Amino acid sequence: MTFDPATPGALANADTWVVIPLFNEATVIGGVIADLLPVFPNVVCIDDGSGDGSGAVARAAGAHLVTHPINLGQGAALQTGFAYALERGAGYVVTFDADGQHRVIDAQAMLARSRAEDVPIVFGSRFLDDRTKPGLLKKIVLKTAVWVTNLTTRTRLTDAHNGLRVIREDALRRIRLRQDRMAHGTEIVVQLGRTGLPYVEEPVEVIYSDYSKAKGQSLLNSVNILVDLIIR
């Protein structure tokens, strides 16, 4: 579908909460929230035991904040965010990474598609077009993870571990994440698949910035995903 970026955002998306797991991203989280708020007025960050003041930065930028006193992992942070959003009457949740790798316009397009096509689950995929440049080794690892995930979950996704998703309230209420590390990405696919609700994929761009590369996220997260899939 074609998305018009001039479409009114904040008012139309008052029923939507953006859930951001947050761990030691004080350098960039303020900018991520500033980009989101004009379009998505409800943003909640789950500060998962950060030691760099990330939570304070997120709150100052205008996000709601929930704090885990210790690091429980991204799956636990997402589950906390889901519960927070549902308690506040969310009709939709957008899961969004804290490190600046996702684009707000892609989240808008995914939400618009969910509404227009009455589809409760929209997965972002970096492999449906050629905008994302992950590098050869990362691409091989991610593609392997997709193959393993599809085999074990009986889904047909092209990018099973993309953190950008739109989940409608009826699907969200059926999620109970228990995996604490990167394996939550597979767990959420399994649980959404078991709902029997329809899902689609939407092409998105993942931005591998100098910041994320400097932190070693680009390849390390992919390897962690694959290791968790093998040992779980």
Side-chain angles (χ1 to χ4, degrees):
M1 66 177 291
T2 300
F3 179 71
D4 180 5
T7 301
L11 184 61
N13 296 331
D15 63 344
T16 302
W17 280 82
V18 178
V19 173
I20 305 178
L22 178 60
F23 180 67
N24 290 342
E25 301 286 2
T27 304
V28 295
I29 187 59
V32 170
I33 293 167
D35 288 343
L36 282 164
L37 285 177
V39 178
F40 297 103
N42 303 312
V43 176
V44 58
C45 291
I46 297 79
D47 184 9
D48 193 33
S50 295
D52 67 345
S54 289
V57 175
R59 182 186 280 121
H64 294 242
L65 182 68
V66 180
T67 301
H68 289 171
I70 61 173
N71 180 256
L72 299 176
Q74 197 170 79
L78 282 173
Q79 190 61 52
T80 296
F82 294 164
Y84 187 92
L86 286 171
E87 287 173 0
R88 283 150 186 79
Y92 297 84
V93 155
V94 177
T95 64
F96 205 87
D97 285 355
D99 58 7
Q101 290 192 341
H102 293 156
R103 303 195 320 148
V104 176
I105 194 170
D106 289 336
Q108 286 180 275
M110 291 167 66
L111 180 60
R113 185 173 179 185
S114 179
R115 296 185 194 277
E117 299 181 13
D118 192 27
V119 59
I121 306 160
V122 183
F123 294 101
S125 174
R126 77 199 91 184
F127 297 125
L128 288 177
D129 60 29
D130 59 1
R131 288 178 294 164
T132 301
K133 310 297 182 185
L136 180 60
L137 185 54
K138 181 177 175 68
K139 185 173 183 179
I140 290 171
V141 173
L142 283 172
K143 287 286 191 178
T144 303
V146 168
W147 179 78
V148 174
T149 299
N150 284 344
L151 186 66
T152 57
T153 64
R154 297 184 181 179
T155 54
R156 290 293 177 267
L157 298 177
T158 62
D159 190 1
H161 290 82
N162 192 319
L164 184 55
R165 316 173 189 88
V166 170
I167 308 171
R168 201 171 64 192
E169 179 264 348
D170 51 341
L172 193 65
R173 290 190 179 279
R174 306 190 202 185
I175 299 174
R176 294 291 184 274
L177 297 178
R178 296 178 176 87
Q179 297 286 346
D180 55 353
R181 295 188 298 169
M182 300 307 293
H184 78 274
T186 300
E187 186 181 26
I188 198 170
V189 172
V190 169
Q191 293 189 13
L192 289 172
R194 286 175 180 167
T195 68
L197 295 170
Y199 64 86
V200 294
E201 287 187 290
E202 178 78 9
V204 302
E205 181 181 6
V206 174
I207 301 169
Y208 298 114
S209 64
D210 291 340
Y211 169 79
S212 65
K213 290 176 182 177
K215 290 186 68 176
Q217 293 173 344
S218 179
L219 182 59
L220 181 59
N221 280 355
S222 304
V223 173
N224 286 340
I225 287 168
L226 195 55
V227 169
D228 278 343
L229 283 170
I230 293 169
I231 67 175
R232 73 184 180 87

